[in-house]
Amino acid sequence: MTKDLPRLIRETEFLPPAFQIVPKLLLLLDDPEANSEQLAELIRVDPGLTAEVLRVCNSAFYTGEYRAETLNEGVMRIGLREVYRIVMKVIASPVLGEPQKGYGREQGNLWNHSLATATAAEIFSRGKGDHPEVAFTAALLHDIGKLVVNQALDGDYSRLIKEAKEKQQPLSIIEKGFFNMDHGDAGGILLNRWNLPQNIVYAVRFHHKPMAAGEHIRLAAILQVADYLAFAIGQGSGHEAYARALDPKALNLLRVTVEDIDACTEEVKEGFEKALAAFNK
């Protein structure tokens, strides 16, 4: 059964966290010696919690002269008590009672892919005049629209991936055939509704077509490269032929070649494994 995707986007208040993170967060939030940096370091690996903390800290109640773009800024702005409230709200969400069926055990689950892409974006953006933490945040959230699309398909997202492979078409074309929007559009609309910074919104929305991202082309291009690198280290999610197609204009903008990007593969793999190991401690 296919549900109304625009309505789901309007009604989605937050997305479920990776289950492994919940007990670690609760222990940290209960530790009087814990600080905001430790908390941000743990939250930053989860797309749902990252988006929710940024949404709250950029709401009318908390926002200042500018929108927070990173977890450290967000946690510092709202404080540990508010972070605790956010975590408890997400944990208590009825959606956690429903397993994310259908999405998940293809060539790398969505959470691992998101973390790998975030790690790649952070590494790739260093020394290029970009903000690595902003790149990490945007990349972690780049496929957040897939969670809402999955809900709209009643947990049967894998059928879209199968159809894309059979027809050898970009996943976005298949998604648009169902909903008149793709997962990038869905994620961008959702994050914009949550009042996240426009550079993150546009980068997420156009990460497969970065040249359409207006003034935020560069960050969107970094996400496309990071997505490519995630597949390169075996942490893919979706239709590989689509994710591995890099826009030559985006590469020209970043002043890199495919060979330059491929040279980052080993460092990204090591960085991802380190991030995963730290998470699983």
Side-chain angles (χ1 to χ4, degrees), residues 4-272:
D4 184 344
L5 180 57
R7 180 180 175 183
L8 270 176
I9 293 171
R10 290 194 300 271
E11 293 177 350
T12 299
E13 294 302 324
F14 43 78
L15 295 165
F19 289 104
Q20 308 99 306
I21 207 171
V22 172
K24 298 174 188 292
L25 271 174
L26 294 179
L27 283 173
L28 194 57
L29 288 165
D30 199 40
D31 182 357
E33 308 252 331
N35 58 48
S36 59
E37 286 186 9
Q38 291 173 291
L39 196 58
E41 188 66 23
L42 184 56
I43 290 173
R44 77 195 289 259
V45 300
D46 186 86
L49 284 172
T50 293
E52 179 65 3
V53 169
L54 287 175
R55 183 188 73 82
V56 170
C57 79
N58 287 312
S59 66
F61 183 80
Y62 286 103
T63 193
E65 294 181 6
Y66 66 95
R67 296 181 184 181
E69 298 176 319
T70 70
L71 253 298
N72 281 334
E73 291 176 312
V75 173
M76 288 291 289
R77 180 176 292 181
I78 66 178
L80 297 183
R81 185 178 297 276
E82 181 64 23
V83 172
Y84 182 82
R85 187 192 69 77
I86 290 169
V87 172
M88 293 309 294
K89 182 177 77 169
V90 174
I91 291 170
S93 168
V95 75
L96 287 184
E98 302 174 9
Q100 292 288 310
K101 61 181 180 178
Y103 199 91
R105 301 259 186 243
E106 329 133 28
Q107 295 101 3
N109 64 51
L110 183 59
W111 182 79
N112 274 3
H113 172 68
S114 297
L115 181 58
T117 307
T119 302
E122 183 177 39
I123 289 170
F124 182 79
S125 62
R126 288 177 190 156
K128 294 183 174 65
D130 303 289
H131 194 312
E133 182 68 22
V134 172
F136 183 99
T137 301
L140 188 73
L141 300 176
H142 80 289
D143 273 349
I144 203 164
K146 286 185 178 180
L147 290 173
V148 190
V149 173
N150 187 49
Q151 290 176 21
L153 290 167
D154 199 26
D156 196 18
Y157 188 90
S158 58
R159 67 173 159 150
L160 298 192
I161 297 171
K162 181 181 178 183
E163 187 174 337
K165 290 177 179 177
E166 288 174 350
K167 295 182 176 179
Q168 284 301 293
Q169 290 183 333
L171 188 55
S172 64
I173 299 296
I174 306 300
E175 290 170 334
K176 285 185 175 181
F178 275 77
F179 302 111
N180 202 32
M181 69 173 73
D182 62 24
H183 67 270
D185 295 324
I189 293 167
L190 182 67
L191 296 179
N192 187 59
R193 190 172 72 79
W194 287 353
N195 206 33
L196 265 67
Q198 290 298 290
N199 58 342
I200 293 176
V201 169
Y202 274 79
V204 167
R205 185 163 190 170
F206 297 108
H207 66 275
H208 284 303
K209 40 186 184 288
M211 302 313 291
E215 64 183 288
H216 307 297
I217 288 176
R218 187 173 178 86
L219 184 57
I222 289 172
L223 296 201
Q224 187 182 65
V225 168
D227 202 13
Y228 171 96
L229 282 165
F231 273 91
I233 66 168
Q235 296 299 329
S237 180
H239 185 20
E240 181 172 4
Y242 182 32
R244 299 277 281 182
L246 292 167
D247 186 332
K249 291 181 179 178
L251 298 187
N252 187 52
L253 174 76
L254 296 173
R255 296 183 179 179
V256 295
T257 65
V258 174
E259 290 73 25
D260 294 331
I261 295 167
D262 287 338
C264 298
T265 302
E266 195 58 37
E267 185 180 1
V268 169
K269 183 178 180 181
E270 291 175 2
F272 169 70

